[in-house]
Amino acid sequence: MSSADDVGRARDLWRHLADCAGDDDPENAFVELVDTMIAGYLSSSEIEVLVTFGHLLPSQSPDVVCTLASLRELRHGG
């Protein structure tokens, strides 16, 4: 993947995260976004952004905690 592709993907990811933050249920929106993204390829930088955003959510519901654990597994090659 080229650097331009990575920048474009990161820009798209931030747009999706902004939508999550503005949702009535941001935690659920985040979990659904990650579930959708995990089905495809995630770069290490995208995983880092998702983990960081997940930790910033106001509520750490069990679904968010589980999603963050899945992302950490991916980050470590699991």
Side-chain angles (χ1 to χ4, degrees), residues 16-76:
H16 290 306
L17 291 173
D19 290 343
C20 288
D23 195 273
D24 290 338
D25 185 356
E27 290 81 12
N28 188 52
F30 171 72
V31 170
E32 287 179 5
L33 172 66
V34 173
D35 285 348
T36 301
M37 293 185 75
I38 284 178
Y41 169 80
L42 280 175
S43 70
S44 59
S45 57
E46 288 173 312
I47 292 170
E48 292 301 322
V49 168
L50 290 168
V51 168
T52 300
F53 182 85
H55 284 295
L56 295 174
L57 289 169
S59 168
Q60 293 295 303
S61 70
D63 285 343
V64 170
V65 171
C66 184
T67 297
L68 290 171
S70 296
L71 286 168
R72 281 190 291 277
E73 278 184 37
L74 286 175
R75 180 171 53 190
H76 296 297

Side-chain angles (χ1 to χ4, degrees), residues 4-15 43 45-46 49:
D5 290 340
D6 205 29
V7 169
R9 287 173 59 100
R11 189 178 313 118
D12 290 344
L13 177 57
W14 280 112
R15 281 191 205 118
S43 70
S45 57
E46 288 173 312
V49 168

